[in-house]
């Protein structure tokens, strides 16, 4: 009987310079309440890295990158990011690039035995402040009670929606052309929707009732105002200024730099945008114009862990803090936690899934709960900080309307080829 080879008794992960990507597979989850795709990069040394394609982004955005990654060393994160970043764009179109970048950080961290934040330069904090978005109800006092419930659960930063949806059925609250209120595919300046004094008074009373319940000591941000023009945004913002809200989020589309500057100069509450912006260059016009008080990238849109840290560093040069948008699974959440830990001007991180009982069960090998007394402890384990996915729970929540199944082979994408150079 021959002795087993020496390699059977050692950890071959200790050869990160020889690490190669051998496969990319995905699984689509049912709503979390957001539709997300988890992706897995496999290697020749038996370790895998996990990432996430954010809600609303097609998994095709990730699969088309497979042929560009096969045979590459995942530890060369920046090299591979520069290779694939041209295949992303603003909105959800960067979802594939960002999901891949998360998985590269997970793999490189596992290969070298260090947490992802260390690969991003080390950490500024050992726990990350979390804010909890809260579903809207029609009554302001009832909304206040919902927010109070978040406070009782330990959250120290809150967010609510304040918008034209709350004015439905109230006569004279909104002036709009026929059909405009039902459409969501028209940018705000082009809808013709305006708030009336009646509508503004109703929204002011709504916020007053909520604030009466929760008080003023805790930060409360506001989002989802509706597709109204900048003039209505200014009128509403000025009316809500006395309530000391943490920020007005995405009142108008992020591309409209001059309108953001006009809005910021007209209200006394911080203004915030960024969840649909891809790469740091997309944030630069807003920062140069002094048009935002808070930037709000979504790591799964912005370019991944390192690019989002660069966005935060860029904003810091302009005296602007970085809050972070997050609506996804624990995989994306932990990627955000590592990035937040590594970014000095980080402010607060969003979580949309605190009411989902099985959310944290999607991953194993990490201490739970993931959020403790309103903070997320920064993991010390290698990579993103969890061991593996919980296959049993994920299989229970696969999106059965999609054909991919549970990390089924994706061989049809192995030979995808094109001339990708942006120069000749």
């Amino acid at each position: 009987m021959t002795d087993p080879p020496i390699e059977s008794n050692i950890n071959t992960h200790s050869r990160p310079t020889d690490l190669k990507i051998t496969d990319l597979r995905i699984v689509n989850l049912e709503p979390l309440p957001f539709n997300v795709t988890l992706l897995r990069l496999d290697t020749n040394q038996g370790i895998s890295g996990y990432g996430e394609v954010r809600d609303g982004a097609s998994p095709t955005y990730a699969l088309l990158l497979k042929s560009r990654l096969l045979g590459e060393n995942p530890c060369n994160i920046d090299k591979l990011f520069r290779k694939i970043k041209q295949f992303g764009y603003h909105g959800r179109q960067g979802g594939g690039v960002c999901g891949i970048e998360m998985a590269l950080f997970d793999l490189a961290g596992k290969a070298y035995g260090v947490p992802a934040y260390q690969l991003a330069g080390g950490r500024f904090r050992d726990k990350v402040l979390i804010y909890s978005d809260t579903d809207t109800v029609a009554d302001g006092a009832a909304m206040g009670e919902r927010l109070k419930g978040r406070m009782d659960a330990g959250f120290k930063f809150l967010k609510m929606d304040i918008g034209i949806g709350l004015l439905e059925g109230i006569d004279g609250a909104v002036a709009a052309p026929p059909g405009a209120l039902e459409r969501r595919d028209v940018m705000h300046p082009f809808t013709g929707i305006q708030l009336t004094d009646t509508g503004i008074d109703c929204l002011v009373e709504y916020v007053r009732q909520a604030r009466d319940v929760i008080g003023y000591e805790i930060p409360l941000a506001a989002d989802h105002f509706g597709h109204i023009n900048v003039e209505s945004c200014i009128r509403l913002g000025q009316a809500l200024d006395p309530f000391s809200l943490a920020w007005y989020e995405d009142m108008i589309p992020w591309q409209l730099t001059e309108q953001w500057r006009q809005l910021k100069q007209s209200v006394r509450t911080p203004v915030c945008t960024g969840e649909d912006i891809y790469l740091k260059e997309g944030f630069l016009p807003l920062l140069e114009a002094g048009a935002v008080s808070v930037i709000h990238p979504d790591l799964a849109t912005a370019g991944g862990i390192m690019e989002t840290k660069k966005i935060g560093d860029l904003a810091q040069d302009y005296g602007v803090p970085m809050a972070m948008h997050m609506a996804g699974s624990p995989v994306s959440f932990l990627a955000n936690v590592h990035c937040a830990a590594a970014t000095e001007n980080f402010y607060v991180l969003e979580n949309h899934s605190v009411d989902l009982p099985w959310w944290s069960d999607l991953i194993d090998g990490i201490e739970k709960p993931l959020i403790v007394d309103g903070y997320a402890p920064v993991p010390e384990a290698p990579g993103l900080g969890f061991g593996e996915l919980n296959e049993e729970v994920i299989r229970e929540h696969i999106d059965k309307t999609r054909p991919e199944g549970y990390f089924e082979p994706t061989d049809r994408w192995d030979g995808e080829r094109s001339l990708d150079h942006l120069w000749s």
Side-chain angles (χ1 to χ4, degrees):
M1 182 176 179
T2 59
D3 293 332
I6 293 176
E7 287 188 356
S8 66
N9 298 313
I10 65 173
N11 178 6
T12 58
H13 308 171
S14 62
R15 294 201 298 251
T17 56
D18 296 329
L19 196 64
K20 304 294 181 187
I21 297 171
T22 58
D23 205 355
L24 185 160
R25 299 190 181 192
I26 65 169
V27 58
N28 296 299
L29 300 183
E30 65 185 12
L32 286 171
F34 306 95
N35 290 294
V36 301
T37 299
L38 300 180
L39 64 86
R40 188 184 76 201
L41 291 179
D42 297 329
T43 68
N44 60 336
Q45 295 182 22
I47 55 174
S48 297
Y50 296 97
E52 178 177 320
V53 181
R54 69 164 295 186
D55 68 291
S58 169
T60 302
Y61 293 149
L63 291 169
L64 67 85
L65 301 175
K66 181 179 180 181
S67 64
R68 281 93 176 172
L69 298 169
L70 293 177
E72 294 279 5
N73 187 330
C75 299
N76 298 326
I77 299 172
D78 193 21
K79 173 189 172 183
L80 295 185
F81 179 71
R82 294 178 189 219
K83 183 177 183 180
I84 65 174
K85 71 176 182 178
Q86 64 183 295
F87 298 100
Y89 197 63
H90 303 297
R92 303 298 190 265
Q93 296 178 61
V97 172
C98 300
I100 295 292
E101 199 263 9
M102 294 181 214
L104 294 176
F105 262 91
D106 195 29
L107 269 174
K110 290 173 179 175
Y112 283 101
V114 296
Y117 73 75
Q118 197 65 57
L119 297 174
R123 69 184 188 187
F124 289 91
R125 55 193 58 83
D126 58 11
K127 61 181 181 179
V128 170
L129 180 64
I130 305 298
Y131 79 82
S132 173
D133 211 338
T134 306
D135 291 341
T136 301
V137 292
D139 178 73
M143 187 69 218
E145 293 298 333
R146 284 196 170 196
L147 295 169
K148 183 64 164 56
R150 299 290 196 219
M151 295 167 63
D152 294 342
F155 287 97
K156 297 165 178 61
F157 200 113
L158 306 171
K159 191 168 81 174
M160 64 188 292
D161 295 342
I162 309 169
I164 58 178
L166 293 169
L167 303 177
E168 186 175 352
I170 300 176
D171 290 340
V174 179
L181 292 172
E182 288 73 44
R183 299 193 64 180
R184 296 292 182 269
D185 58 346
V186 179
M187 289 182 77
H188 304 46
F190 314 130
T191 63
I193 300 172
Q194 294 192 73
L195 290 173
T196 67
D197 288 346
T198 297
I200 290 174
D201 289 345
C202 289
L203 295 178
V204 166
E205 180 58 25
Y206 184 88
V207 177
R208 187 190 316 280
Q209 292 175 9
R211 270 298 197 194
D212 285 346
V213 175
I214 68 170
Y216 282 81
E217 288 75 23
I218 192 165
L220 173 62
D223 191 9
H224 291 292
F225 294 91
H227 286 204
I228 55 180
N229 57 28
V230 68
E231 291 82 8
S232 282
C233 291
I234 289 171
R235 291 173 56 232
L236 177 60
Q238 291 174 342
L240 294 176
D241 278 340
F243 298 104
S244 300
L245 297 175
W247 65 64
Y248 300 145
E249 181 178 334
D250 292 332
M251 272 194 149
I252 49 180
W254 63 268
Q255 300 95 328
L256 306 176
T257 301
E258 177 55 30
Q259 290 193 19
W260 275 103
R261 189 190 64 80
Q262 182 183 355
L263 174 64
K264 184 175 184 295
Q265 292 182 346
S266 301
V267 299
R268 293 177 287 116
T269 297
V271 296
C272 168
T273 193
E275 70 179 77
D276 293 318
I277 302 177
Y278 181 61
L279 304 183
K280 64 182 183 300
E281 292 81 3
F283 287 85
L284 191 56
L286 289 163
L287 294 168
E288 287 181 329
V292 286
S293 314
V294 180
I295 58 163
H296 196 230
D298 187 309
L299 185 146
T301 291
I305 294 172
M306 185 59 73
E307 186 69 10
T308 305
K309 174 180 165 50
K310 290 179 180 179
I311 291 166
D313 292 344
L314 176 66
Q316 184 170 1
D317 290 341
Y318 289 87
V320 174
M322 181 175 77
M324 298 171 69
H325 180 273
M326 202 295 296
S329 84
V331 175
S332 179
F333 178 72
L334 289 175
N336 277 268
V337 168
H338 283 281
C339 181
T343 308
E344 185 175 12
N345 65 327
F346 165 77
Y347 185 13
V348 64
L349 169 64
E350 182 173 24
N351 190 299
H352 265 280
S353 301
V354 296
D355 297 321
L356 202 63
W358 50 270
W359 180 78
S360 62
D361 294 333
L362 291 167
I363 59 173
D364 280 332
I366 187 172
E367 188 172 345
K368 299 175 184 176
L370 300 180
I371 302 172
V372 180
D373 197 27
Y375 290 88
V378 179
E380 289 294 325
L384 296 184
F386 66 97
E388 293 292 334
L389 300 181
N390 185 328
E391 180 175 349
E392 180 181 356
V393 174
I394 288 178
R395 285 188 178 276
E396 291 176 0
H397 296 284
I398 287 180
D399 184 351
K400 297 178 178 58
T401 67
R402 306 298 295 269
E404 288 85 4
Y406 184 83
F407 293 117
E408 296 294 332
T410 56
D411 298 349
R412 66 177 292 259
W413 294 97
D414 291 4
E416 180 78 10
R417 292 290 184 270
S418 70
L419 182 61
D420 294 340
H421 288 166
L422 301 179
W423 41 265
S424 61

